[in-house]
Amino acid sequence: MNTTFGVAVRAIPGGVVLELEGDIDGTAGPGLVAAYQKAVVDTSPQRVLLDFTAADYINSSGIALIVSVLAQARSEHREVLASGLSDHYREIFEITRLADFIELHSNRDEAVNRIAESSGRPRQQS
């Protein structure tokens, strides 16, 4: 289990993916904010996918951090999607009503295809 937070930024047709890894807690703030800002500056995406596939743990500070990224994206008129959440964290997103503002997908391919379709680009081949 990797507890150190890491994030990679990957441009995709129609958006950008932030690949989150490790623990998403208060210490993840600077890394996530920097990655989001890099994505916005480098690609000016209309859609941002938060990929939680490699995220091990999210605590209340991590949820607050996700809310702040969501608020920033919404103020910039960017759509936010999430993929790879475990059943437990998907339920937390639903209970906290984050799911009302972040489009949830069970896996990255599904979310990437949704982004490509909504931007008028051909679907990704799996």
Side-chain angles (χ1 to χ4, degrees):
M1 177 196 279
N2 179 19
T3 59
T4 303
F5 177 76
V7 59
V9 177
R10 307 265 188 250
I12 59 170
V16 67
V17 179
L18 300 181
E19 298 171 343
L20 310 173
E21 182 178 349
D23 288 354
I24 303 171
D25 56 20
T27 64
L32 182 54
V33 169
Y36 177 81
Q37 291 303 321
K38 177 177 176 29
V40 169
V41 169
D42 289 354
T43 66
S44 190
Q46 289 302 306
R47 292 165 192 83
V48 176
L49 171 58
L50 302 175
D51 183 8
F52 292 91
T53 302
D56 296 322
Y57 172 77
I58 308 170
N59 68 10
S60 59
S61 295
I63 294 291
L65 179 58
I66 293 163
V67 169
S68 71
V69 169
L70 173 63
Q72 178 74 31
R74 288 175 54 90
S75 74
E76 299 165 346
H77 306 286
R78 299 180 203 286
E79 183 179 358
V80 178
L81 299 85
S83 65
L85 287 165
S86 69
D87 290 342
H88 172 73
Y89 290 118
R90 188 180 188 104
E91 184 177 356
I92 288 172
F93 273 51
E94 290 168 358
I95 290 169
T96 60
R97 303 205 52 200
L98 273 172
D100 292 352
F101 304 98
I102 298 176
E103 187 175 310
L104 303 182
H105 293 271
S106 57
N107 61 62
R108 179 182 169 142
D109 288 343
E110 179 183 291
V112 168
N113 284 336
R114 162 64 173 81
I115 291 169
E117 288 170 354
S118 63
S119 66
R121 298 213 163 78
R123 292 180 61 133
Q124 169 183 317
Q125 297 299 315
S126 298

PDB file of all heavy atoms in Angstrom, residues 12-52:
ATOM      1  N   ILE A  12      -5.834  14.259 -22.542  1.00  0.00           N
ATOM      2  CA  ILE A  12      -6.585  13.324 -23.369  1.00  0.00           C
ATOM      3  C   ILE A  12      -7.437  14.155 -24.326  1.00  0.00           C
ATOM      4  O   ILE A  12      -7.663  15.338 -24.072  1.00  0.00           O
ATOM      5  CB  ILE A  12      -7.479  12.387 -22.516  1.00  0.00           C
ATOM      6  CG1 ILE A  12      -8.475  13.201 -21.684  1.00  0.00           C
ATOM      7  CG2 ILE A  12      -6.646  11.458 -21.654  1.00  0.00           C
ATOM      8  CD1 ILE A  12      -9.542  12.361 -21.004  1.00  0.00           C
ATOM      9  N   PRO A  13      -7.921  13.563 -25.408  1.00  0.00           N
ATOM     10  CA  PRO A  13      -8.809  14.327 -26.298  1.00  0.00           C
ATOM     11  C   PRO A  13     -10.037  14.831 -25.527  1.00  0.00           C
ATOM     12  O   PRO A  13     -10.755  14.057 -24.913  1.00  0.00           O
ATOM     13  CB  PRO A  13      -9.210  13.301 -27.363  1.00  0.00           C
ATOM     14  CG  PRO A  13      -8.085  12.314 -27.366  1.00  0.00           C
ATOM     15  CD  PRO A  13      -7.638  12.228 -25.930  1.00  0.00           C
ATOM     16  N   GLY A  14     -10.207  16.136 -25.492  1.00  0.00           N
ATOM     17  CA  GLY A  14     -11.365  16.735 -24.838  1.00  0.00           C
ATOM     18  C   GLY A  14     -11.187  17.073 -23.376  1.00  0.00           C
ATOM     19  O   GLY A  14     -12.093  17.611 -22.747  1.00  0.00           O
ATOM     20  N   GLY A  15     -10.036  16.778 -22.791  1.00  0.00           N
ATOM     21  CA  GLY A  15      -9.867  17.074 -21.371  1.00  0.00           C
ATOM     22  C   GLY A  15      -8.507  16.710 -20.835  1.00  0.00           C
ATOM     23  O   GLY A  15      -7.530  16.584 -21.579  1.00  0.00           O
ATOM     24  N   VAL A  16      -8.470  16.503 -19.534  1.00  0.00           N
ATOM     25  CA  VAL A  16      -7.239  16.147 -18.846  1.00  0.00           C
ATOM     26  C   VAL A  16      -7.579  15.186 -17.713  1.00  0.00           C
ATOM     27  O   VAL A  16      -8.670  15.251 -17.140  1.00  0.00           O
ATOM     28  CB  VAL A  16      -6.510  17.408 -18.313  1.00  0.00           C
ATOM     29  CG1 VAL A  16      -7.306  18.088 -17.219  1.00  0.00           C
ATOM     30  CG2 VAL A  16      -5.111  17.096 -17.862  1.00  0.00           C
ATOM     31  N   VAL A  17      -6.650  14.274 -17.433  1.00  0.00           N
ATOM     32  CA  VAL A  17      -6.823  13.318 -16.338  1.00  0.00           C
ATOM     33  C   VAL A  17      -5.806  13.650 -15.252  1.00  0.00           C
ATOM     34  O   VAL A  17      -4.620  13.822 -15.540  1.00  0.00           O
ATOM     35  CB  VAL A  17      -6.595  11.864 -16.810  1.00  0.00           C
ATOM     36  CG1 VAL A  17      -6.751  10.890 -15.647  1.00  0.00           C
ATOM     37  CG2 VAL A  17      -7.532  11.500 -17.948  1.00  0.00           C
ATOM     38  N   LEU A  18      -6.279  13.731 -14.017  1.00  0.00           N
ATOM     39  CA  LEU A  18      -5.399  13.810 -12.863  1.00  0.00           C
ATOM     40  C   LEU A  18      -5.419  12.426 -12.222  1.00  0.00           C
ATOM     41  O   LEU A  18      -6.435  12.010 -11.660  1.00  0.00           O
ATOM     42  CB  LEU A  18      -5.867  14.874 -11.873  1.00  0.00           C
ATOM     43  CG  LEU A  18      -5.950  16.303 -12.400  1.00  0.00           C
ATOM     44  CD1 LEU A  18      -6.406  17.251 -11.292  1.00  0.00           C
ATOM     45  CD2 LEU A  18      -4.634  16.761 -12.968  1.00  0.00           C
ATOM     46  N   GLU A  19      -4.307  11.709 -12.360  1.00  0.00           N
ATOM     47  CA  GLU A  19      -4.197  10.354 -11.817  1.00  0.00           C
ATOM     48  C   GLU A  19      -3.713  10.456 -10.381  1.00  0.00           C
ATOM     49  O   GLU A  19      -2.548  10.759 -10.126  1.00  0.00           O
ATOM     50  CB  GLU A  19      -3.220   9.536 -12.656  1.00  0.00           C
ATOM     51  CG  GLU A  19      -3.657   9.377 -14.090  1.00  0.00           C
ATOM     52  CD  GLU A  19      -2.589   8.752 -14.975  1.00  0.00           C
ATOM     53  OE1 GLU A  19      -1.396   8.712 -14.591  1.00  0.00           O
ATOM     54  OE2 GLU A  19      -2.948   8.316 -16.073  1.00  0.00           O
ATOM     55  N   LEU A  20      -4.605  10.205  -9.432  1.00  0.00           N
ATOM     56  CA  LEU A  20      -4.317  10.351  -8.012  1.00  0.00           C
ATOM     57  C   LEU A  20      -3.818   9.026  -7.448  1.00  0.00           C
ATOM     58  O   LEU A  20      -4.361   7.969  -7.759  1.00  0.00           O
ATOM     59  CB  LEU A  20      -5.584  10.801  -7.279  1.00  0.00           C
ATOM     60  CG  LEU A  20      -6.295  12.009  -7.895  1.00  0.00           C
ATOM     61  CD1 LEU A  20      -7.618  12.251  -7.203  1.00  0.00           C
ATOM     62  CD2 LEU A  20      -5.409  13.229  -7.844  1.00  0.00           C
ATOM     63  N   GLU A  21      -2.797   9.112  -6.595  1.00  0.00           N
ATOM     64  CA  GLU A  21      -2.201   7.902  -6.040  1.00  0.00           C
ATOM     65  C   GLU A  21      -1.884   8.095  -4.564  1.00  0.00           C
ATOM     66  O   GLU A  21      -1.445   9.174  -4.156  1.00  0.00           O
ATOM     67  CB  GLU A  21      -0.908   7.588  -6.799  1.00  0.00           C
ATOM     68  CG  GLU A  21      -0.232   6.320  -6.346  1.00  0.00           C
ATOM     69  CD  GLU A  21       1.018   6.010  -7.157  1.00  0.00           C
ATOM     70  OE1 GLU A  21       1.252   6.640  -8.191  1.00  0.00           O
ATOM     71  OE2 GLU A  21       1.758   5.118  -6.711  1.00  0.00           O
ATOM     72  N   GLY A  22      -2.114   7.052  -3.775  1.00  0.00           N
ATOM     73  CA  GLY A  22      -1.791   7.103  -2.352  1.00  0.00           C
ATOM     74  C   GLY A  22      -2.922   7.672  -1.529  1.00  0.00           C
ATOM     75  O   GLY A  22      -4.090   7.546  -1.865  1.00  0.00           O
ATOM     76  N   ASP A  23      -2.554   8.332  -0.420  1.00  0.00           N
ATOM     77  CA  ASP A  23      -3.539   8.880   0.513  1.00  0.00           C
ATOM     78  C   ASP A  23      -3.922  10.303   0.126  1.00  0.00           C
ATOM     79  O   ASP A  23      -3.054  11.151  -0.098  1.00  0.00           O
ATOM     80  CB  ASP A  23      -2.981   8.909   1.934  1.00  0.00           C
ATOM     81  CG  ASP A  23      -2.865   7.521   2.550  1.00  0.00           C
ATOM     82  OD1 ASP A  23      -3.320   6.544   1.914  1.00  0.00           O
ATOM     83  OD2 ASP A  23      -2.316   7.420   3.661  1.00  0.00           O
ATOM     84  N   ILE A  24      -5.216  10.548   0.075  1.00  0.00           N
ATOM     85  CA  ILE A  24      -5.707  11.891  -0.185  1.00  0.00           C
ATOM     86  C   ILE A  24      -6.190  12.440   1.153  1.00  0.00           C
ATOM     87  O   ILE A  24      -7.273  12.105   1.629  1.00  0.00           O
ATOM     88  CB  ILE A  24      -6.818  11.885  -1.255  1.00  0.00           C
ATOM     89  CG1 ILE A  24      -6.287  11.240  -2.527  1.00  0.00           C
ATOM     90  CG2 ILE A  24      -7.306  13.311  -1.516  1.00  0.00           C
ATOM     91  CD1 ILE A  24      -7.334  10.987  -3.575  1.00  0.00           C
ATOM     92  N   ASP A  25      -5.315  13.236   1.742  1.00  0.00           N
ATOM     93  CA  ASP A  25      -5.596  13.841   3.044  1.00  0.00           C
ATOM     94  C   ASP A  25      -5.081  15.274   3.009  1.00  0.00           C
ATOM     95  O   ASP A  25      -4.774  15.799   1.938  1.00  0.00           O
ATOM     96  CB  ASP A  25      -4.966  13.019   4.176  1.00  0.00           C
ATOM     97  CG  ASP A  25      -3.465  12.823   4.003  1.00  0.00           C
ATOM     98  OD1 ASP A  25      -2.812  13.603   3.259  1.00  0.00           O
ATOM     99  OD2 ASP A  25      -2.918  11.893   4.632  1.00  0.00           O
ATOM    100  N   GLY A  26      -4.967  15.904   4.144  1.00  0.00           N
ATOM    101  CA  GLY A  26      -4.528  17.292   4.191  1.00  0.00           C
ATOM    102  C   GLY A  26      -3.163  17.526   3.572  1.00  0.00           C
ATOM    103  O   GLY A  26      -2.907  18.590   3.010  1.00  0.00           O
ATOM    104  N   THR A  27      -2.285  16.540   3.652  1.00  0.00           N
ATOM    105  CA  THR A  27      -0.940  16.708   3.087  1.00  0.00           C
ATOM    106  C   THR A  27      -0.934  16.654   1.564  1.00  0.00           C
ATOM    107  O   THR A  27       0.045  17.045   0.935  1.00  0.00           O
ATOM    108  CB  THR A  27       0.031  15.643   3.627  1.00  0.00           C
ATOM    109  OG1 THR A  27      -0.397  14.348   3.207  1.00  0.00           O
ATOM    110  CG2 THR A  27       0.116  15.702   5.155  1.00  0.00           C
ATOM    111  N   ALA A  28      -2.020  16.194   0.956  1.00  0.00           N
ATOM    112  CA  ALA A  28      -2.103  16.097  -0.504  1.00  0.00           C
ATOM    113  C   ALA A  28      -2.420  17.439  -1.155  1.00  0.00           C
ATOM    114  O   ALA A  28      -2.281  17.581  -2.372  1.00  0.00           O
ATOM    115  CB  ALA A  28      -3.163  15.064  -0.898  1.00  0.00           C
ATOM    116  N   GLY A  29      -2.839  18.403  -0.366  1.00  0.00           N
ATOM    117  CA  GLY A  29      -3.287  19.687  -0.890  1.00  0.00           C
ATOM    118  C   GLY A  29      -2.343  20.364  -1.869  1.00  0.00           C
ATOM    119  O   GLY A  29      -2.728  20.651  -3.006  1.00  0.00           O
ATOM    120  N   PRO A  30      -1.099  20.626  -1.471  1.00  0.00           N
ATOM    121  CA  PRO A  30      -0.200  21.321  -2.387  1.00  0.00           C
ATOM    122  C   PRO A  30       0.009  20.576  -3.713  1.00  0.00           C
ATOM    123  O   PRO A  30       0.010  21.192  -4.779  1.00  0.00           O
ATOM    124  CB  PRO A  30       1.110  21.426  -1.595  1.00  0.00           C
ATOM    125  CG  PRO A  30       0.689  21.359  -0.161  1.00  0.00           C
ATOM    126  CD  PRO A  30      -0.496  20.434  -0.151  1.00  0.00           C
ATOM    127  N   GLY A  31       0.146  19.275  -3.653  1.00  0.00           N
ATOM    128  CA  GLY A  31       0.359  18.489  -4.870  1.00  0.00           C
ATOM    129  C   GLY A  31      -0.846  18.493  -5.787  1.00  0.00           C
ATOM    130  O   GLY A  31      -0.706  18.644  -7.008  1.00  0.00           O
ATOM    131  N   LEU A  32      -2.026  18.342  -5.209  1.00  0.00           N
ATOM    132  CA  LEU A  32      -3.231  18.320  -6.035  1.00  0.00           C
ATOM    133  C   LEU A  32      -3.511  19.691  -6.640  1.00  0.00           C
ATOM    134  O   LEU A  32      -3.825  19.801  -7.820  1.00  0.00           O
ATOM    135  CB  LEU A  32      -4.433  17.822  -5.235  1.00  0.00           C
ATOM    136  CG  LEU A  32      -5.750  17.720  -6.002  1.00  0.00           C
ATOM    137  CD1 LEU A  32      -5.607  16.869  -7.263  1.00  0.00           C
ATOM    138  CD2 LEU A  32      -6.839  17.160  -5.103  1.00  0.00           C
ATOM    139  N   VAL A  33      -3.367  20.737  -5.846  1.00  0.00           N
ATOM    140  CA  VAL A  33      -3.598  22.094  -6.349  1.00  0.00           C
ATOM    141  C   VAL A  33      -2.602  22.423  -7.462  1.00  0.00           C
ATOM    142  O   VAL A  33      -2.977  22.959  -8.508  1.00  0.00           O
ATOM    143  CB  VAL A  33      -3.528  23.124  -5.206  1.00  0.00           C
ATOM    144  CG1 VAL A  33      -3.500  24.543  -5.737  1.00  0.00           C
ATOM    145  CG2 VAL A  33      -4.716  22.924  -4.258  1.00  0.00           C
ATOM    146  N   ALA A  34      -1.336  22.080  -7.268  1.00  0.00           N
ATOM    147  CA  ALA A  34      -0.315  22.339  -8.291  1.00  0.00           C
ATOM    148  C   ALA A  34      -0.614  21.563  -9.572  1.00  0.00           C
ATOM    149  O   ALA A  34      -0.479  22.098 -10.677  1.00  0.00           O
ATOM    150  CB  ALA A  34       1.070  21.981  -7.759  1.00  0.00           C
ATOM    151  N   ALA A  35      -1.041  20.308  -9.440  1.00  0.00           N
ATOM    152  CA  ALA A  35      -1.362  19.498 -10.624  1.00  0.00           C
ATOM    153  C   ALA A  35      -2.566  20.065 -11.358  1.00  0.00           C
ATOM    154  O   ALA A  35      -2.571  20.125 -12.595  1.00  0.00           O
ATOM    155  CB  ALA A  35      -1.622  18.049 -10.209  1.00  0.00           C
ATOM    156  N   TYR A  36      -3.583  20.489 -10.616  1.00  0.00           N
ATOM    157  CA  TYR A  36      -4.756  21.082 -11.249  1.00  0.00           C
ATOM    158  C   TYR A  36      -4.355  22.353 -12.001  1.00  0.00           C
ATOM    159  O   TYR A  36      -4.747  22.561 -13.154  1.00  0.00           O
ATOM    160  CB  TYR A  36      -5.858  21.383 -10.221  1.00  0.00           C
ATOM    161  CG  TYR A  36      -7.037  22.068 -10.856  1.00  0.00           C
ATOM    162  CD1 TYR A  36      -7.995  21.329 -11.539  1.00  0.00           C
ATOM    163  CD2 TYR A  36      -7.165  23.453 -10.826  1.00  0.00           C
ATOM    164  CE1 TYR A  36      -9.064  21.961 -12.169  1.00  0.00           C
ATOM    165  CE2 TYR A  36      -8.224  24.088 -11.444  1.00  0.00           C
ATOM    166  CZ  TYR A  36      -9.171  23.336 -12.119  1.00  0.00           C
ATOM    167  OH  TYR A  36     -10.217  23.961 -12.756  1.00  0.00           O
ATOM    168  N   GLN A  37      -3.576  23.210 -11.354  1.00  0.00           N
ATOM    169  CA  GLN A  37      -3.150  24.457 -11.996  1.00  0.00           C
ATOM    170  C   GLN A  37      -2.313  24.181 -13.249  1.00  0.00           C
ATOM    171  O   GLN A  37      -2.478  24.840 -14.272  1.00  0.00           O
ATOM    172  CB  GLN A  37      -2.361  25.336 -11.019  1.00  0.00           C
ATOM    173  CG  GLN A  37      -3.196  25.909  -9.905  1.00  0.00           C
ATOM    174  CD  GLN A  37      -4.374  26.733 -10.409  1.00  0.00           C
ATOM    175  OE1 GLN A  37      -4.278  27.471 -11.375  1.00  0.00           O
ATOM    176  NE2 GLN A  37      -5.512  26.589  -9.750  1.00  0.00           N
ATOM    177  N   LYS A  38      -1.421  23.188 -13.185  1.00  0.00           N
ATOM    178  CA  LYS A  38      -0.616  22.807 -14.344  1.00  0.00           C
ATOM    179  C   LYS A  38      -1.517  22.339 -15.478  1.00  0.00           C
ATOM    180  O   LYS A  38      -1.342  22.734 -16.630  1.00  0.00           O
ATOM    181  CB  LYS A  38       0.380  21.717 -13.973  1.00  0.00           C
ATOM    182  CG  LYS A  38       1.213  21.218 -15.153  1.00  0.00           C
ATOM    183  CD  LYS A  38       2.231  20.204 -14.718  1.00  0.00           C
ATOM    184  CE  LYS A  38       3.027  19.595 -15.836  1.00  0.00           C
ATOM    185  NZ  LYS A  38       3.264  20.354 -17.021  1.00  0.00           N
ATOM    186  N   ALA A  39      -2.498  21.528 -15.161  1.00  0.00           N
ATOM    187  CA  ALA A  39      -3.426  21.026 -16.176  1.00  0.00           C
ATOM    188  C   ALA A  39      -4.179  22.167 -16.846  1.00  0.00           C
ATOM    189  O   ALA A  39      -4.329  22.193 -18.075  1.00  0.00           O
ATOM    190  CB  ALA A  39      -4.412  20.042 -15.544  1.00  0.00           C
ATOM    191  N   VAL A  40      -4.635  23.116 -16.051  1.00  0.00           N
ATOM    192  CA  VAL A  40      -5.407  24.241 -16.580  1.00  0.00           C
ATOM    193  C   VAL A  40      -4.534  25.118 -17.475  1.00  0.00           C
ATOM    194  O   VAL A  40      -4.937  25.506 -18.565  1.00  0.00           O
ATOM    195  CB  VAL A  40      -6.027  25.056 -15.424  1.00  0.00           C
ATOM    196  CG1 VAL A  40      -6.594  26.371 -15.912  1.00  0.00           C
ATOM    197  CG2 VAL A  40      -7.106  24.229 -14.733  1.00  0.00           C
ATOM    198  N   VAL A  41      -3.329  25.405 -17.030  1.00  0.00           N
ATOM    199  CA  VAL A  41      -2.425  26.253 -17.807  1.00  0.00           C
ATOM    200  C   VAL A  41      -1.967  25.545 -19.082  1.00  0.00           C
ATOM    201  O   VAL A  41      -1.968  26.128 -20.166  1.00  0.00           O
ATOM    202  CB  VAL A  41      -1.207  26.680 -16.951  1.00  0.00           C
ATOM    203  CG1 VAL A  41      -0.130  27.327 -17.809  1.00  0.00           C
ATOM    204  CG2 VAL A  41      -1.651  27.618 -15.838  1.00  0.00           C
ATOM    205  N   ASP A  42      -1.578  24.272 -18.959  1.00  0.00           N
ATOM    206  CA  ASP A  42      -1.012  23.549 -20.099  1.00  0.00           C
ATOM    207  C   ASP A  42      -2.040  23.168 -21.155  1.00  0.00           C
ATOM    208  O   ASP A  42      -1.727  23.161 -22.344  1.00  0.00           O
ATOM    209  CB  ASP A  42      -0.295  22.278 -19.634  1.00  0.00           C
ATOM    210  CG  ASP A  42       1.000  22.560 -18.888  1.00  0.00           C
ATOM    211  OD1 ASP A  42       1.414  23.743 -18.816  1.00  0.00           O
ATOM    212  OD2 ASP A  42       1.583  21.599 -18.358  1.00  0.00           O
ATOM    213  N   THR A  43      -3.261  22.811 -20.738  1.00  0.00           N
ATOM    214  CA  THR A  43      -4.210  22.243 -21.700  1.00  0.00           C
ATOM    215  C   THR A  43      -5.529  22.988 -21.813  1.00  0.00           C
ATOM    216  O   THR A  43      -6.307  22.694 -22.712  1.00  0.00           O
ATOM    217  CB  THR A  43      -4.521  20.771 -21.354  1.00  0.00           C
ATOM    218  OG1 THR A  43      -5.209  20.714 -20.107  1.00  0.00           O
ATOM    219  CG2 THR A  43      -3.254  19.932 -21.281  1.00  0.00           C
ATOM    220  N   SER A  44      -5.825  23.892 -20.895  1.00  0.00           N
ATOM    221  CA  SER A  44      -7.096  24.619 -20.882  1.00  0.00           C
ATOM    222  C   SER A  44      -8.284  23.684 -21.156  1.00  0.00           C
ATOM    223  O   SER A  44      -9.064  23.886 -22.077  1.00  0.00           O
ATOM    224  CB  SER A  44      -7.071  25.760 -21.903  1.00  0.00           C
ATOM    225  OG  SER A  44      -8.183  26.579 -21.732  1.00  0.00           O
ATOM    226  N   PRO A  45      -8.422  22.635 -20.338  1.00  0.00           N
ATOM    227  CA  PRO A  45      -9.442  21.615 -20.600  1.00  0.00           C
ATOM    228  C   PRO A  45     -10.854  22.082 -20.262  1.00  0.00           C
ATOM    229  O   PRO A  45     -11.053  22.907 -19.373  1.00  0.00           O
ATOM    230  CB  PRO A  45      -9.041  20.482 -19.657  1.00  0.00           C
ATOM    231  CG  PRO A  45      -8.461  21.205 -18.474  1.00  0.00           C
ATOM    232  CD  PRO A  45      -7.719  22.385 -19.075  1.00  0.00           C
ATOM    233  N   GLN A  46     -11.819  21.540 -20.983  1.00  0.00           N
ATOM    234  CA  GLN A  46     -13.216  21.759 -20.633  1.00  0.00           C
ATOM    235  C   GLN A  46     -13.679  20.743 -19.593  1.00  0.00           C
ATOM    236  O   GLN A  46     -14.623  20.984 -18.864  1.00  0.00           O
ATOM    237  CB  GLN A  46     -14.109  21.670 -21.879  1.00  0.00           C
ATOM    238  CG  GLN A  46     -13.934  22.851 -22.800  1.00  0.00           C
ATOM    239  CD  GLN A  46     -14.250  24.159 -22.076  1.00  0.00           C
ATOM    240  OE1 GLN A  46     -15.311  24.325 -21.502  1.00  0.00           O
ATOM    241  NE2 GLN A  46     -13.306  25.077 -22.079  1.00  0.00           N
ATOM    242  N   ARG A  47     -12.988  19.608 -19.539  1.00  0.00           N
ATOM    243  CA  ARG A  47     -13.349  18.534 -18.622  1.00  0.00           C
ATOM    244  C   ARG A  47     -12.112  18.041 -17.882  1.00  0.00           C
ATOM    245  O   ARG A  47     -11.056  17.883 -18.483  1.00  0.00           O
ATOM    246  CB  ARG A  47     -14.002  17.387 -19.381  1.00  0.00           C
ATOM    247  CG  ARG A  47     -15.357  17.779 -19.925  1.00  0.00           C
ATOM    248  CD  ARG A  47     -15.872  16.807 -20.976  1.00  0.00           C
ATOM    249  NE  ARG A  47     -17.025  17.398 -21.632  1.00  0.00           N
ATOM    250  CZ  ARG A  47     -16.954  18.270 -22.641  1.00  0.00           C
ATOM    251  NH1 ARG A  47     -15.791  18.627 -23.122  1.00  0.00           N
ATOM    252  NH2 ARG A  47     -18.047  18.781 -23.167  1.00  0.00           N
ATOM    253  N   VAL A  48     -12.284  17.785 -16.590  1.00  0.00           N
ATOM    254  CA  VAL A  48     -11.197  17.291 -15.753  1.00  0.00           C
ATOM    255  C   VAL A  48     -11.659  15.980 -15.131  1.00  0.00           C
ATOM    256  O   VAL A  48     -12.708  15.924 -14.486  1.00  0.00           O
ATOM    257  CB  VAL A  48     -10.843  18.302 -14.637  1.00  0.00           C
ATOM    258  CG1 VAL A  48      -9.775  17.742 -13.717  1.00  0.00           C
ATOM    259  CG2 VAL A  48     -10.406  19.633 -15.244  1.00  0.00           C
ATOM    260  N   LEU A  49     -10.869  14.936 -15.354  1.00  0.00           N
ATOM    261  CA  LEU A  49     -11.165  13.628 -14.776  1.00  0.00           C
ATOM    262  C   LEU A  49     -10.238  13.396 -13.599  1.00  0.00           C
ATOM    263  O   LEU A  49      -9.015  13.418 -13.755  1.00  0.00           O
ATOM    264  CB  LEU A  49     -10.982  12.526 -15.826  1.00  0.00           C
ATOM    265  CG  LEU A  49     -11.047  11.083 -15.326  1.00  0.00           C
ATOM    266  CD1 LEU A  49     -12.380  10.782 -14.641  1.00  0.00           C
ATOM    267  CD2 LEU A  49     -10.786  10.115 -16.471  1.00  0.00           C
ATOM    268  N   LEU A  50     -10.812  13.181 -12.427  1.00  0.00           N
ATOM    269  CA  LEU A  50     -10.057  12.774 -11.250  1.00  0.00           C
ATOM    270  C   LEU A  50     -10.098  11.258 -11.205  1.00  0.00           C
ATOM    271  O   LEU A  50     -11.153  10.663 -10.972  1.00  0.00           O
ATOM    272  CB  LEU A  50     -10.672  13.368  -9.982  1.00  0.00           C
ATOM    273  CG  LEU A  50     -10.787  14.893  -9.931  1.00  0.00           C
ATOM    274  CD1 LEU A  50     -11.536  15.328  -8.670  1.00  0.00           C
ATOM    275  CD2 LEU A  50      -9.419  15.541 -10.001  1.00  0.00           C
ATOM    276  N   ASP A  51      -8.970  10.624 -11.459  1.00  0.00           N
ATOM    277  CA  ASP A  51      -8.905   9.164 -11.493  1.00  0.00           C
ATOM    278  C   ASP A  51      -8.386   8.661 -10.146  1.00  0.00           C
ATOM    279  O   ASP A  51      -7.219   8.846  -9.808  1.00  0.00           O
ATOM    280  CB  ASP A  51      -8.004   8.696 -12.629  1.00  0.00           C
ATOM    281  CG  ASP A  51      -7.961   7.182 -12.766  1.00  0.00           C
ATOM    282  OD1 ASP A  51      -8.750   6.492 -12.079  1.00  0.00           O
ATOM    283  OD2 ASP A  51      -7.147   6.695 -13.556  1.00  0.00           O
ATOM    284  N   PHE A  52      -9.264   8.023  -9.384  1.00  0.00           N
ATOM    285  CA  PHE A  52      -8.959   7.541  -8.040  1.00  0.00           C
ATOM    286  C   PHE A  52      -8.519   6.081  -8.012  1.00  0.00           C
ATOM    287  O   PHE A  52      -8.407   5.500  -6.932  1.00  0.00           O
ATOM    288  CB  PHE A  52     -10.199   7.699  -7.141  1.00  0.00           C
ATOM    289  CG  PHE A  52     -10.564   9.117  -6.848  1.00  0.00           C
ATOM    290  CD1 PHE A  52     -11.456   9.807  -7.659  1.00  0.00           C
ATOM    291  CD2 PHE A  52     -10.018   9.774  -5.756  1.00  0.00           C
ATOM    292  CE1 PHE A  52     -11.806  11.119  -7.383  1.00  0.00           C
ATOM    293  CE2 PHE A  52     -10.361  11.092  -5.467  1.00  0.00           C
ATOM    294  CZ  PHE A  52     -11.256  11.762  -6.289  1.00  0.00           C
TER     295      PHE A  52
END
